[in-house]
Structures are given as C-alpha cells and as structure tokens.
Amino acid sequence: MPDPIRIAIIGTGLIVTGKHWPALRTLPRDFRVIALVNRTPAKAEALAETIHAATRSRPAVYTDYRQMLAAEKPDAVALALPPELNPEVAQTALAAGSHVIVEKPIAVSLAEGARMLPWAAQYGRVLMVAENYRYVASYRRAAQLIAEGVIGPPQVMRWTFYAYMPQDNPYYLTAWRRNPQHPGGYLSDQGVHNMAALRMMLGEVTHISGQTLLVRPDLIPADTLSATLRFANGCLGTYAATHAVPGPEQPLQVAGPDGVLSVWRDRMGLWRRGRPVDERSLPSEEDGLVAMYRDFSEAIRTGQPPRSTPAEALADLRLIVAMLRASELRQEIRVADIPT
C-alpha cells in the first residue's frame, strides 16, 4: 500500500476546521497533514493540536506559505483562502512541485480563473477546485437518473434556494465575504455550488435572464437573485436564491414527460403521475468532501483528471456572472457572449 500523500493546508479558517479537516481525518490511508499556514499563528496552532490529538502526529505551523513550501516540500497543498489570493498561491505551489486543491470560487473574475486553466498541464501536477457539490450523493444520483432517461427529456427545472446569512453567523464575520472582490458577493460564493449541481444534472446553459436585489445593505453588492435559464438540451428553468431572508430547504425539481425528480442535499424522490414512487435517503460524508478528497487522491496517484477541474469551476462562475450581467442589462443574454 502506498504511503499517505503528505498534504499541507494554507488557510485554517472555518471551512478547514469545519469541513476539510473532518473529511481528511476519515482518509488516513490517503492523506497525512504535515503543515498548516495561517497569518495568525494561534489559529494554526489550535488546529495543529486538534490534528495531533486525533492522529498523534503534529503538523508544523507556519505564517508564510513560501517558507512552508521550501521547508516541507509537501506532495499536495489545500488552499482555503479568499478567492483573490487563489491564483498567486496556487501557481507558486504548483511551481514548487505540489499538487493543489483550491477552494471555490476559483478566482475573483473570469479572466483570473481563465489564467489557471493551463497550469495543470504546464506544471505536470493536479490542479483541482474544491467544489464539493459535484460529489454530493443525491445530486450525482439525480444526474445519473436523468442521463438514463428515467423522467424522459428534461423539460422544466425549478430551484428556490434560501441561504440566510444572519449577522451572528461565523461566515458572515469573515472580512473577504463582507467586502467581496468576487462577482456578486454571497450570490457567487454559494451560487457556484448550485451551478455545479445544475450543470452536472442538466448540462450547459445557453441563455439567461435575471434580476437582482439588495434587501440588506450589509450584504453587498446584492443578496437576492431570480433568473430564467435555457439549457442546451431544451430544458427551461427558474433559479432563485436569497441570503436576506430565512426559509426552509427547497428541493431542486426537474420534470420530464415521464416523471419529476425532487432533490435535496441528503435525499431525493421520484414522482410519476403526481404520486411518489421512490423516495430514499442519500447522505454524503461531510457534505461530499470525503468523496472529493478521494478523487483528489486518485487523480494524484493515477494521473487521471479529477471531476472538479478549473474548467468546470470557471463554467460554474460564468453562469453567476451571466445572471448578474443580465440583471444589469435587463435583458436575456447568451452565456457564450460573456467574455473571459
């Protein structure tokens, strides 16, 4: 059995302590965390103690990622940083010989994200985006059923997404979210997740119209979005998202002539003639991050590309940018006309 991949984590904030480390902890044969980087040493030290208690191996702590790369020479690096830092740090790590998995959104603009597309081939390393929705079991099962024709050709899609952001939410308190450089602020921070799920199930979107609102002045530049989407396969859909008001989880619904799929994050149901014929629980370990890191490990060991490539992440971000642009222009636009 091969040795675990020696991975370093740059950025040790909420998403790492709450999602990445719990996922990595379940994969001791795949990964061993050897180093942590944070500008605030106490944050990295706290996580180092947590990892030590769980594994009896304490990762080294650094405040400078370049120093860490030179000293530790990790096999792989996980980046959990504000998106404006992703390109520079990712390229530096790749050039140092590390495989890289980078948090979404991939970058603060389509142009910055497009710069990253050739880097995996250029440096001969895996460059992957940590888009866990591509690994959520219910979304993947729904995509499989749609591809198998269980509901017939998809004709209508509907998704209303409540992602209320109260001011006492720890994610609200992160500076880069409150003063976003990425397009749409919270609408793209969460929105790229949802676009990944939609594209996985229904393919590419060709045309978009949309409207945005700013309901709460603290959630700049907009916190509410409603859009109409036309897919290349002929499906017509509506997507609405808000961070301004609370609401229950609503299923993503896809209807065809032979049935309707309703898909939640942890379950799904199939309806025919208005009656449920199949309902099942489909939980994902750590919201898909365990499967995501397994894919990262396999890509490193086999040389095969991961499911969540920079090109996929850029396509997800392009849809959010297209919605924002359609809102500005007050007209339907072609996604292909959005420049990088």
Side-chain angles (χ1 to χ4, degrees), residues 12-13 17 36 38-49 61:
T12 58
T17 58
L36 304 171
N38 197 301
R39 292 178 301 177
T40 305
K43 292 182 179 180
E45 293 286 357
L47 181 56
E49 286 301 317
V61 169

Side-chain angles (χ1 to χ4, degrees), residues 1-339:
M1 182 176 294
D3 292 336
I5 294 163
R6 300 166 59 256
I7 190 169
I9 304 174
I10 302 178
T12 58
L14 292 168
I15 195 67
V16 170
T17 58
K19 295 289 187 181
H20 286 261
W21 162 240
L24 287 166
R25 182 179 179 178
T26 70
L27 300 169
R29 295 182 179 180
D30 291 279
F31 295 98
R32 179 166 66 89
V33 180
I34 63 162
L36 304 171
V37 181
N38 197 301
R39 292 178 301 177
T40 305
K43 292 182 179 180
E45 293 286 357
L47 181 56
E49 286 301 317
T50 298
I51 294 173
H52 181 251
T55 67
R56 298 184 180 180
S57 176
R58 192 181 193 282
V61 169
Y62 294 84
T63 57
D64 185 298
Y65 76 91
R66 294 177 187 272
Q67 181 183 5
M68 182 278 294
L69 291 171
E72 302 292 339
K73 296 179 173 54
D75 302 322
V77 172
L79 306 187
L81 300 168
E84 59 265 27
L85 301 179
N86 283 345
E88 177 184 347
V89 181
Q91 188 173 29
T92 302
L94 290 165
S98 298
H99 303 280
V100 174
I101 182 169
V102 55
E103 258 294 344
K104 41 57 59 187
I106 185 173
V108 295
S109 69
L110 294 176
E112 279 291 282
R115 284 205 306 121
M116 301 170 69
L117 296 183
W119 289 352
Q122 178 181 340
Y123 293 103
R125 292 292 182 269
V126 174
L127 176 56
M128 177 174 167
V129 177
E131 180 43 79
N132 57 300
Y133 274 34
R134 285 198 168 82
Y135 302 88
V136 169
S138 58
Y139 295 160
R140 292 191 60 77
R141 177 59 176 160
Q144 180 184 4
L145 292 176
I146 291 169
E148 291 174 354
V150 169
I151 63 170
Q155 295 175 339
V156 179
M157 179 280 294
R158 182 183 69 181
W159 199 1
T160 298
F161 195 90
Y162 295 98
Y164 181 53
M165 187 56 62
Q167 293 185 347
D168 60 353
N169 186 305
Y171 286 98
Y172 173 87
L173 300 175
T174 53
W176 67 269
R177 287 186 173 91
R178 295 181 65 185
N179 299 284
Q181 296 187 36
H182 52 293
Y186 288 98
L187 291 176
S188 67
D189 187 28
Q190 173 62 45
V192 292
H193 279 312
N194 297 347
M195 295 306 104
L198 281 178
R199 292 181 55 248
M200 185 167 63
M201 293 183 213
L202 294 170
E204 300 306 327
V205 177
T206 60
H207 294 76
I208 285 177
S209 59
Q211 301 258 348
T212 60
L213 289 174
L214 180 60
V215 178
R216 281 175 43 190
D218 58 317
L219 298 178
I220 58 173
D223 55 29
T224 301
L225 166 71
S226 180
T228 300
L229 298 81
R230 284 198 283 159
F231 291 83
N233 63 7
C235 184
L236 183 66
T238 58
Y239 169 77
T242 183
H243 299 274
V245 296
E249 181 185 3
Q250 299 293 308
L252 162 62
Q253 293 187 311
V254 182
D258 299 326
V260 179
L261 282 172
S262 290
V263 191
W264 293 263
R265 289 264 284 282
D266 61 353
R267 65 192 192 280
M268 62 169 291
L270 173 63
W271 276 255
R272 293 189 193 278
R273 301 183 185 277
R275 296 183 178 181
V277 296
D278 184 15
E279 295 186 57
R280 64 183 65 188
S281 174
L282 290 167
S284 299
E285 293 180 272
E286 297 298 336
D287 206 17
L289 270 82
V290 173
M292 181 187 78
Y293 269 108
R294 284 199 186 103
D295 191 30
F296 187 40
S297 172
E298 184 175 349
I300 291 170
R301 297 192 190 281
T302 67
Q304 296 299 310
R307 289 188 209 134
S308 189
T309 62
E312 293 287 352
L314 193 65
D316 300 336
L317 182 59
R318 183 188 294 272
L319 292 187
I320 299 297
V321 171
M323 292 177 193
L324 299 173
R325 183 63 174 158
S327 177
E328 292 173 3
L329 297 176
R330 304 290 182 180
Q331 66 184 43
E332 183 180 76
I333 64 171
R334 290 198 329 142
V335 175
D337 291 338
I338 298 295

